[in-house]
Amino acid sequence: MMSLEPIRTKVPTSIKSYFPFQTLSTIIFNRFAGLVLASILLATLVFPRVQEHVPRSLWTLLGCAVGIGIIILVKNLPAKSPGRPSPNGVWLLAVVGAMCAGSVAVVVGRALSFDYGWDARVVMEAAQTLAVGSDLGAYPYDYFSRYPNNIPLLALDRLIVSGASLFGIPLGTAIAFLNGVCVTVVSISVFISVKTLSSTRFAFLSQGMVFAFFAFSPWLAVPYTDLPVAALLALSVALWLVTFSESKSGVTTLAVCAMSGIAAGAAIALKPTAMILLIAMSLSVLSGTRRGRWRRATTRLGTALGAACIVIILSSSLLPAAAGLDTAKLDASRAFPMHHFARMGLIEAPGENGATRYGGYDAAAVKEMGAAETVAERKALSLAAMESELRAMGPVGYPSFLGKKAIWIWSDGTFGSWVEGRDHGERLGRDGALSTALQSFLHPAGASWPLWSASLTGLWFALLLTISFFLWPQGRRTDVLVLSLSVLGIGAFSLLFEGRARYLIIFLPAIITLASCLPAYPGAWRALQHRRNPARAKDTHE
């Protein structure tokens, strides 16, 4: 029978027995992830890119310093104290903390309700039209034919509209409530993951990071797939790590593997980019499993992958009907190919406030794709445009472009808040003392927005710096390999295809987990501690 209590270990011995720390591929993947993040941070300092709504200031440095200081403080807290809660008390505190984060998220989401645009507006208007029994016009069906990946969002929006109508609440409140539930799931899932990999105190620290990045995010007011997918992926990772903290296979263990796969499959159904997690799971098993453990490890992996595939297949056939679409009016030949998104990933365009967008949305490219009649023509147009862009950049210009794009994407701690469409110019829909106070911090027009956005970006830099600093000496750890591979995966995807800071949200829980668990490793501080106190260098965490 699987129990969550044995998760509280120094370094999970079962994980150590499954995965030999001497695996070369594990070292390469982990250290490369740390090196990439370190390179981005260094490049950000040397070649900073102007963000559209995130001014750089001393608050950025202060936020980074505070983040690092908190990590050091948590590391140096006494492992055992008279007032330490019982195991049941720990879980109770974790659940209460997660629910508090979700509740605050609902309040913030309601306070920031506004008339959002871009894809979120198109899909929500379609959901509202279907909810009153009206038929969609030609444009919505053409839109969903072009972007079938947004059909699951339509089903989700219909659920939001139905919930708002059923309970008699404003639509903005229903949106905030759903996103608040997602924040709650992220918080408790990250707690479980960090507790599995390190210690209780760092697990609570990870919940604090979730509170800062998720509970006050302007994205809480927008009905889109990013937060639901982040919650599903965080849950999938937590369940995956729990199964590999068990030394024996059994029905319960395989059932948890299946639940992990179901969560990952649901995430992929909402946003195909989430496929990165399944790839990371597979590579983590292939890279670190001993020959004598192949059967057990591959059985667990196969169970998770099988469950995910079932969910993906069922969702692809059921979601169009669940969304209320007439499938006969959907034209599969109108779908934009992946070549189109790779092409947009090469476009450099001006943004707001003197900023430059690298590899973001381009209206001219979309118009050109929409005018093409066949799939083959759209592929040919995309490939020709990509070839033209690459020739214009040259062998030196392309790496330079990728570097600028990486800095632009990874140096925004608000994750592209208020950047999509004309969101920053829309009027906020709620008044009142609390709403006004929150808006002053969380909207670009607010007086305190520069302080908040710069400080949050500094805290984000602290997370990346922590991973960069600790992942290199801990490169042999295979228990964190799935997290490192997820970071590399979303990084590569955002570079090669259309990308922006918002795309990082779905793997932000994995990044928080990685940054929270690495400093707790027994040998993480040993070299530094040995210089001050040789005896203390032998200490381990709880």
Side-chain angles (χ1 to χ4, degrees):
M1 186 74 178
M2 179 176 291
S3 171
L4 288 178
E5 189 55 33
I7 294 173
R8 188 161 48 90
T9 56
K10 295 179 181 178
V11 178
T13 55
S14 57
I15 291 179
K16 183 182 288 187
S17 65
Y18 276 114
F19 301 121
F21 278 22
Q22 295 78 23
T23 304
L24 180 61
S25 58
T26 299
I27 298 174
I28 293 174
F29 284 134
N30 279 333
R31 290 186 171 177
F32 184 62
L35 183 62
V36 167
L37 295 182
S39 301
I40 292 174
L41 282 173
L42 180 61
T44 301
L45 293 175
V46 179
F47 308 105
R49 312 310 304 172
V50 177
Q51 296 289 348
E52 296 186 51
H53 302 296
V54 185
R56 297 291 165 77
S57 66
L58 291 177
W59 289 108
T60 304
L61 296 177
L62 181 60
C64 185
V66 169
I68 295 173
I70 291 174
I71 292 172
I72 295 174
L73 176 64
V74 171
K75 173 61 183 177
N76 287 279
L77 288 175
K80 297 182 179 180
S81 60
R84 183 179 178 181
S86 64
N88 289 336
V90 167
W91 286 108
L92 178 60
L93 288 175
V95 172
V96 171
M99 294 181 67
C100 287
S103 300
V104 171
V106 173
V107 174
V108 171
R110 292 180 71 247
L112 297 178
S113 295
F114 71 103
D115 191 18
Y116 43 84
W118 49 290
D119 299 86
R121 170 55 54 192
V122 174
V123 179
M124 179 56 77
E125 287 181 348
Q128 292 175 306
T129 300
L130 292 171
V132 297
S134 300
D135 186 33
L136 296 179
Y139 174 75
Y141 275 106
D142 184 61
Y143 172 85
F144 288 114
S145 296
R146 293 182 182 185
Y147 304 106
N149 56 298
N150 278 337
I151 293 177
L153 175 60
L154 177 61
L156 187 64
D157 282 357
R158 290 207 63 183
L159 179 65
I160 295 173
V161 172
S162 298
S165 175
L166 179 64
F167 294 101
I169 59 177
L171 183 62
T173 301
I175 294 169
F177 178 79
L178 175 63
N179 287 332
V181 171
C182 294
V183 172
T184 303
V185 174
V186 168
S187 182
I188 194 65
S189 299
V190 168
F191 179 89
I192 293 172
S193 296
V194 177
K195 195 172 188 296
T196 303
L197 296 171
S198 60
S199 66
T200 300
R201 49 187 166 170
F202 276 94
F204 282 118
L205 173 63
S206 68
Q207 283 195 304
M209 296 297 180
V210 169
F211 194 86
F213 286 106
F214 281 94
F216 290 96
S217 173
W219 290 114
L220 293 166
V222 181
Y224 209 60
T225 54
D226 296 308
L227 291 177
V229 170
L232 289 169
L233 290 183
L235 178 61
S236 179
V237 168
L239 295 173
W240 177 257
L241 293 174
V242 167
T243 62
F244 277 89
S245 69
E246 294 291 319
S247 58
K248 296 181 180 180
S249 292
V251 175
T252 305
T253 301
L254 294 180
V256 175
C257 285
M259 288 189 289
S260 175
I262 290 172
I268 295 168
L270 286 174
K271 187 180 286 290
T273 314
M275 180 68 72
I276 291 170
L277 178 61
L278 292 186
I279 298 173
M281 287 179 175
S282 302
L283 287 177
S284 67
V285 170
L286 294 175
S287 297
T289 306
R290 289 180 179 178
R291 291 184 179 181
R293 305 292 184 179
W294 268 107
R295 181 177 179 181
R296 186 178 300 171
T298 53
T299 298
R300 296 179 180 186
L301 176 63
T303 301
L305 294 180
C309 289
I310 291 173
V311 171
I312 295 170
I313 293 171
L314 289 177
S315 62
S316 63
S317 58
L318 297 178
L319 280 177
L325 293 175
D326 183 354
T327 54
K329 296 182 179 180
L330 295 173
D331 186 359
S333 66
R334 295 284 295 162
F336 285 6
M338 287 298 295
H339 308 71
H340 164 71
F341 300 101
R343 171 201 178 177
M344 289 214 295
L346 295 171
I347 295 175
E348 183 175 329
E352 300 286 340
N353 299 326
T356 301
R357 298 183 180 185
Y358 300 92
Y361 176 84
D362 184 74
V366 172
K367 184 177 180 180
E368 185 179 11
M369 285 295 101
E373 295 294 333
T374 64
V375 175
E377 186 178 351
R378 281 188 285 276
K379 288 182 179 180
L381 285 173
S382 298
L383 289 173
M386 289 172 61
E387 183 180 1
S388 175
E389 290 285 351
L390 290 173
R391 283 185 176 180
M393 291 180 184
V396 176
Y398 181 60
S400 175
F401 172 83
L402 292 181
K404 294 175 183 177
K405 186 178 180 181
I407 296 171
W408 177 64
I409 291 175
W410 287 83
S411 63
D412 181 1
T414 70
F415 302 98
S417 297
W418 309 108
V419 172
E420 298 286 357
R422 301 291 300 177
D423 283 358
H424 67 281
E426 297 293 341
R427 181 184 179 277
L428 298 177
R430 295 188 65 85
D431 298 318
L434 179 59
S435 296
T436 302
L438 288 172
Q439 291 165 10
S440 69
F441 279 91
L442 302 176
H443 189 271
S448 300
W449 168 259
L451 183 155
W452 172 257
S453 59
S455 301
L456 194 65
T457 298
L459 183 60
W460 167 241
F461 287 166
L463 291 185
L464 300 184
L465 182 62
T466 301
I467 296 173
S468 305
F469 183 79
F470 288 109
L471 196 53
W472 182 272
Q474 298 181 52
R476 296 177 181 272
R477 290 186 61 179
T478 51
D479 52 347
V480 300
L481 183 56
V482 66
L483 303 174
S484 300
L485 289 168
S486 296
V487 172
L488 289 174
I490 190 59
F493 178 88
S494 60
L495 283 182
L496 298 177
F497 296 94
E498 178 188 357
R500 62 205 77 178
R502 175 174 61 82
Y503 289 15
L504 302 180
I505 292 176
I506 63 174
F507 284 103
L508 180 55
I511 295 172
I512 293 175
T513 300
L514 194 56
S516 300
C517 74
L518 291 176
Y521 192 68
W525 303 78
R526 190 166 297 163
L528 298 177
Q529 290 174 347
H530 182 73
R531 296 178 182 177
R532 300 195 308 265
N533 188 346
R536 190 178 178 186
K538 298 180 181 180
D539 292 344
T540 59
H541 64 284
E542 60 191 295

